Amino acid sequence: MVRKFDQRPLDPELVDRIVESARHAPSAGFSQGFDFVVLDRPETVARFWEVTDDPAFPSPPDFEATAPTVIVLPLTNKAAYLERYSRPDKVAFGLTDEARWPVPFWDVDTAMAIMLILLAATDLGVGALYFGLTEGMDAPGLREFGVPDGRKLLGVIGLGHAAADEPFDPSKFNERRRKFDDMVHRNKW
């Protein structure tokens, strides 16, 4: 994850190529209940930061000078899953009722789509950041960006050119990363 970005704009075709990768995410019943709002105009991105600035934890005054230049809002659409599983080829699974789903696949599938976006950005040499919000992205905040009711934000993806002084050193995580054998259990726990 890149934490500091320079403010050169990303080529819109490159952004589309990155977000296109999400269309290939797994999807329960091929429901495809995820959508993405791409904020790539400087004034729209600035408005996003205004709407989401938490008064209890305000952004530093110079924050936007190193913030991502593109914001992607990944949104889940539970209704798409419930509708898909009401069709004749899926109704026998009994998943027309949200309470019967073993896990909320609308969130799981959207999370997989997010991961594909992050991986595509990395593969294409674009800095990427995934983060959560504490302010502003409830229904009124989402409507600010035209999001219809019934969608839920599942974090935020920031994209941009990594700042020159933002070197990535994966070895810094080695001491904190769980060991493989502590995490993977073969044939039994």
Side-chain angles (χ1 to χ4, degrees):
M1 298 290 164
V2 171
R3 301 283 190 250
K4 287 173 56 180
F5 298 82
D6 73 29
Q7 296 305 294
R8 290 177 292 147
L10 282 175
D11 181 333
E13 288 82 25
L14 181 59
V15 173
D16 287 352
R17 189 169 163 199
I18 291 167
V19 178
E20 158 68 23
S21 67
R23 290 186 338 107
H24 303 278
S27 171
F30 205 54
S31 302
Q32 303 176 81
F34 35 78
D35 294 284
F36 303 91
V37 175
V38 177
L39 310 176
D40 58 0
R41 292 189 190 131
E43 64 276 8
T44 309
V45 172
R47 181 65 185 143
F48 169 81
W49 296 123
E50 287 174 31
V51 169
T52 61
D53 198 26
D54 187 335
F57 306 99
S59 297
D62 60 345
F63 168 74
E64 289 186 47
T66 60
T69 56
V70 174
I71 298 295
V72 180
L73 305 177
L75 301 149
T76 67
N77 181 0
K78 174 176 42 178
Y81 288 78
L82 299 177
E83 187 280 325
R84 173 68 181 104
Y85 278 82
S86 70
R87 293 185 195 168
D89 65 323
K90 295 288 184 190
V91 75
F93 291 101
L95 297 175
T96 56
D97 176 6
E98 170 186 356
R100 297 212 26 146
W101 284 75
V103 296
F105 275 94
W106 40 92
D107 291 344
V108 171
D109 293 350
T110 303
M112 287 191 232
I114 290 167
M115 180 58 80
L116 288 176
I117 289 173
L118 296 171
L119 290 171
T122 300
D123 285 349
L124 293 170
V126 172
L129 171 65
Y130 177 74
F131 59 97
L133 295 170
T134 57
E135 185 74 28
M137 284 289 103
D138 52 5
L142 290 173
R143 277 196 290 278
E144 172 96 19
F145 300 102
V147 176
D149 289 338
R151 301 306 197 279
K152 180 178 89 174
L153 184 69
L154 202 65
V156 179
I157 303 166
L159 300 172
H161 297 285
D165 63 343
E166 176 73 11
F168 177 68
D169 179 9
S171 68
K172 71 180 181 180
F173 298 106
N174 287 344
E175 66 186 46
R176 292 181 18 214
R177 194 171 308 280
R178 287 177 62 196
K179 297 199 180 323
F180 181 84
D181 291 337
D182 292 342
M183 185 184 299
V184 178
H185 313 279
R186 280 218 166 73
N187 301 311
K188 67 177 184 171
W189 189 277

